[in-house]
Amino acid sequence: MLESLLALGGLVLLRDSVEWEGRSLLKVLIKKSALRGEQVHVLGCEVSEEEFREGFDPEINSRVVYHDFFRDPLNWSKTGEAFPAGPLAALRAVCRRTAPGPATIALDSLSWLLLHLPCTTLCQTLHTLSPQGSCPGASTPAEQVHVLGLLHEELHGPGPVGALSSLAQAEVTLGGTAGQASAHVLHRRPQQRPTNKVDPMAHLTFNLHLSEKEREARDSLTLPFQFSSEKQQALLHRRPGPASSHIFSEPDAYDDLDQEDPDDDLDI
Amino acid sequence: MFPELNNLLNTSPDRAEQGKLTLLCAAETDGSFLVHHFLSFYLKANCKVCFVALIQSFSHYNIVGQKLGVSLTAARERGQLVFLEGLKSSVDVFFQAQEKTHPLHFLREANAGNLQPLYEFVQEALKPVDSGAAAWRCPVLLVDDLSVLLSLGVGAVAVLDFVHYCRATVCSELKVPRAAGSQPGPQGPGHAQAYVHHQSHLVLRAEGLATGFCKDVHGQLRILWRASQPTAQRGRSLTFQYKIQDKSVTFFAKGMSPAIL
């Protein structure tokens, strides 16, 4: 399951809830990426670096770059270091640093970012992080960027959650019943053009093709609803005189035609 | 301090944990016994305590504390307890000219921006002092309660930022009773509570009985151990019913009240 989540580039959204926390799954995915030899950048907003690194081997820890956004995100302590320009600049900085080679960016968490940033700004930044946004055309595995985003689902309305999930390549929704945790995985397939074109007109029991002669005949045909100049002339210059029309009527053998009351048969 | 609750949480004053956020919440009942428990617990554990009391006066907590065997006056005198009496200081904010650094300065602002002054007060109170640093074991912040800030018109994000900074600086105890008529929408108190819930390591949730008031069972307590716990304990949740007595609280398994059996 973990391989399939990381097989495609782009955003993987981890949706957790109060009962079923998703940070441990995020850490497992980070571990997996690190074991594949990728550089992992973590934008940490919710837990301290020590707490986040807890449980990782030294080898994995060496591959994880923790961008500490937990200690002083709003510059209240006036240390003046780290990210003076706010969370967005931090996100961009992470994005820029991962430019060459495969890399994984873990956002812990999107909820914190959503509380402090407008949803549209966040979505645009996430879009530039994903491989389609940064370098169109070059989607070789070597240049893939994985973005792992943890989202506390119940904190946000359906709008932001929907916007983020439409950006995601894969979604994992955590849940469970009675002590048994479960993860619902949704893969969004990348939109691809089919490579081998199949002719839908082959092997038909009837003829769909036209010969040259038939095509000419069809093209020269004027359809009744088409308006031509001849038709226009005919309509504009009507032949004058009402006397030009006659009604020829021949009574039937059984017709009982009464000249006095021609509407007799209508039974009014 | 209620020894029975300590047993349930598998802790004692000499094993007080550091760097953990405990969320105390109450739904349709009064959860203040949890605050009294943790106040006396950390004073007995010889921790430096900063108590932001927004609901009750100092004398109220002092009287309850005496019942539980701690003297808040003495603790304050020897510098162990820093007590911010919200009820009294809020009056000061309104009727006396204050500098900008008053912890409750947000009360005077037209649109309450942030709680930075309150955080700076907490940080100052819990800053390790060189002379007596060895005397106190670890800093503890107790807030009773956070939802008052929301009711006073502080935005949910501002409250969450305050909690965030307190978490980054100290381990803390927070009490967030869910507002009875919690507003819908992303800014409602329910969302603030859920967010703090996500951050906390231990959640104690006092609930009223679904079947209504009872003389012998006052409610039920749900204990939820969250992340960063040993794997065996993680995600474990237990529910007990309780009865509050004069000086203690008795806990029993669901439906096992001595009055019923």
Side-chain angles (χ1 to χ4, degrees):
Chain A
M1 179 197 128
L2 297 177
E3 275 95 2
S4 72
L5 280 178
L6 292 171
L8 302 162
L11 178 66
V12 177
L13 199 63
L14 308 175
R15 295 160 64 153
D16 74 347
S17 62
V18 168
E19 273 85 26
W20 307 98
E21 60 96 26
R23 186 164 290 117
S24 32
L25 179 61
L26 178 73
K27 285 170 84 167
V28 170
L29 287 171
I30 287 172
K31 199 170 165 182
K32 195 89 197 163
S33 290
L35 285 176
R36 295 200 306 192
E38 288 182 14
Q39 188 78 264
V40 183
H41 293 265
V42 180
L43 183 72
C45 310
E46 287 195 351
V47 290
S48 61
E49 184 168 357
E50 299 80 53
E51 196 178 329
F52 196 86
R53 285 184 184 273
E54 207 177 277
F56 283 152
D57 301 333
E59 188 203 350
I60 292 168
N61 262 331
S62 65
R63 289 196 193 279
V64 173
V65 185
Y66 192 87
H67 302 270
D68 194 346
F69 209 54
F70 170 73
R71 204 145 297 276
D72 193 15
L74 307 171
N75 202 16
W76 282 8
S77 304
K78 305 208 172 55
T79 46
E81 54 175 31
F83 307 106
L88 190 62
L91 202 55
R92 291 241 166 87
V94 173
C95 167
R96 234 175 290 128
R97 254 169 268 183
T98 55
T104 300
I105 302 172
L107 305 168
D108 179 23
S109 69
L110 283 174
S111 290
W112 194 93
L113 293 169
L114 262 185
L115 284 177
H116 292 84
L117 287 175
C119 179
T120 43
T121 321
L122 182 64
C123 287
Q124 281 163 6
T125 317
L126 282 176
H127 187 67
T128 54
L129 284 179
S130 66
Q132 297 95 331
S134 55
C135 42
S139 57
T140 51
E143 292 186 16
Q144 267 186 1
V145 177
H146 296 107
V147 184
L148 308 171
L150 182 65
L151 183 74
H152 306 315
E153 202 177 346
E154 70 272 71
L155 304 183
H156 311 286
V161 173
L164 285 172
S165 70
S166 67
L167 276 178
Q169 293 289 342
E171 274 179 59
V172 185
T173 311
L174 297 169
T177 43
Q180 196 68 269
S182 70
H184 179 257
V185 184
L186 175 75
H187 277 284
R188 225 174 278 278
R189 296 235 171 268
Q191 285 187 343
Q192 287 176 338
R193 297 189 179 283
T195 43
N196 308 329
K197 276 200 172 172
V198 181
D199 186 9
M201 290 196 287
H203 313 296
L204 288 179
T205 52
F206 49 91
N207 184 21
L208 268 178
H209 298 275
L210 291 174
S211 67
E212 272 306 305
K213 220 174 179 182
E214 285 166 335
R215 192 184 299 277
E216 257 170 47
R218 193 187 67 171
D219 290 346
S220 63
L221 187 72
T222 313
L223 296 173
F225 51 82
Q226 278 178 335
F227 200 70
S228 62
S229 57
E230 289 161 36
K231 237 180 200 176
Q232 191 184 18
Q233 291 302 319
L235 283 169
L236 285 174
H237 305 284
R238 288 217 176 139
R239 255 175 276 166
S244 58
S245 59
H246 295 278
I247 298 172
F248 298 97
S249 159
E250 197 164 316
D252 219 36
Y254 304 101
D255 271 2
D256 176 26
L257 205 65
D258 187 1
Q259 289 297 334
E260 297 285 296
D261 185 10
D263 295 333
D264 181 35
D265 57 328
L266 289 181
D267 192 27
I268 300 172
Chain B
M1 188 175 72
F2 309 124
E4 283 196 37
L5 187 54
N6 283 342
N7 290 342
L8 296 182
L9 298 176
N10 195 19
T11 179
S12 69
D14 23 286
R15 285 188 291 138
E17 277 185 295
Q18 246 183 307
K20 298 274 184 269
L21 175 72
T22 307
L23 175 69
L24 315 173
C25 38
E28 289 161 18
T29 188
D30 182 23
S32 52
F33 70 98
L34 293 170
V35 176
H36 300 142
H37 164 79
F38 281 103
L39 180 61
S40 55
F41 177 87
Y42 284 114
L43 286 177
K44 278 190 182 163
N46 217 19
C47 294
K48 172 101 180 178
V49 180
C50 174
F51 189 17
V52 179
L54 302 170
I55 290 199
Q56 297 282 3
S57 63
F58 178 78
S59 53
H60 169 87
Y61 290 109
N62 196 22
I63 291 166
V64 180
Q66 273 168 1
K67 280 195 173 183
L68 300 179
V70 287
S71 167
L72 267 60
T73 328
R76 188 152 77 161
E77 273 163 14
R78 62 173 183 266
Q80 189 188 1
L81 174 71
V82 181
F83 194 95
L84 175 69
E85 195 167 352
L87 295 180
K88 220 179 232 172
S89 354
S90 61
V91 178
D92 295 345
V93 174
F94 281 119
F95 296 112
Q96 287 169 21
Q98 293 279 346
E99 319 88 75
K100 274 214 153 186
T101 46
H102 193 280
L104 299 179
H105 181 76
F106 66 89
L107 288 172
R108 283 189 82 116
E109 287 171 18
N111 45 351
N114 63 40
L115 297 171
Q116 193 177 351
L118 187 57
Y119 162 70
E120 277 165 3
F121 169 82
V122 169
Q123 195 196 21
E124 191 63 34
L126 297 176
K127 206 161 63 180
V129 190
D130 291 334
S131 55
W136 316 122
R137 278 180 52 205
C138 57
V140 176
L141 168 69
L142 274 140
V143 183
D144 184 21
D145 69 54
L146 272 185
S147 60
V148 169
L149 295 173
L150 292 168
S151 317
L152 287 173
V154 183
V157 175
V159 173
L160 295 176
D161 286 338
F162 170 68
V163 175
H164 181 112
Y165 267 89
C166 290
R167 225 157 52 83
T169 321
V170 280
C171 53
S172 41
E173 298 288 331
L174 297 157
K175 188 190 169 207
V176 190
R178 195 169 63 180
S182 69
Q183 306 156 17
Q187 300 301 317
H191 282 76
Q193 193 201 16
Y195 193 79
V196 180
H197 207 131
H198 270 285
Q199 314 302 323
S200 46
H201 301 94
L202 172 66
V203 182
L204 301 182
R205 188 177 161 80
E207 294 165 339
L209 289 179
T211 45
F213 178 76
C214 171
K215 194 160 66 79
D216 292 303
V217 183
H218 290 153
Q220 62 179 30
L221 182 73
R222 272 190 64 201
I223 306 171
L224 176 69
W225 283 271
R226 294 199 75 249
S228 308
Q229 294 285 329
T231 328
Q233 266 193 346
R234 178 182 295 172
R236 205 156 63 96
S237 135
L238 291 172
T239 307
F240 295 96
Q241 290 180 333
Y242 62 83
K243 182 184 181 188
I244 302 174
Q245 283 157 345
D246 190 28
K247 285 187 182 180
S248 69
V249 178
T250 47
F251 290 89
F252 33 83
K254 269 179 156 182
M256 295 290 185
S257 164
I260 299 168
L261 296 175

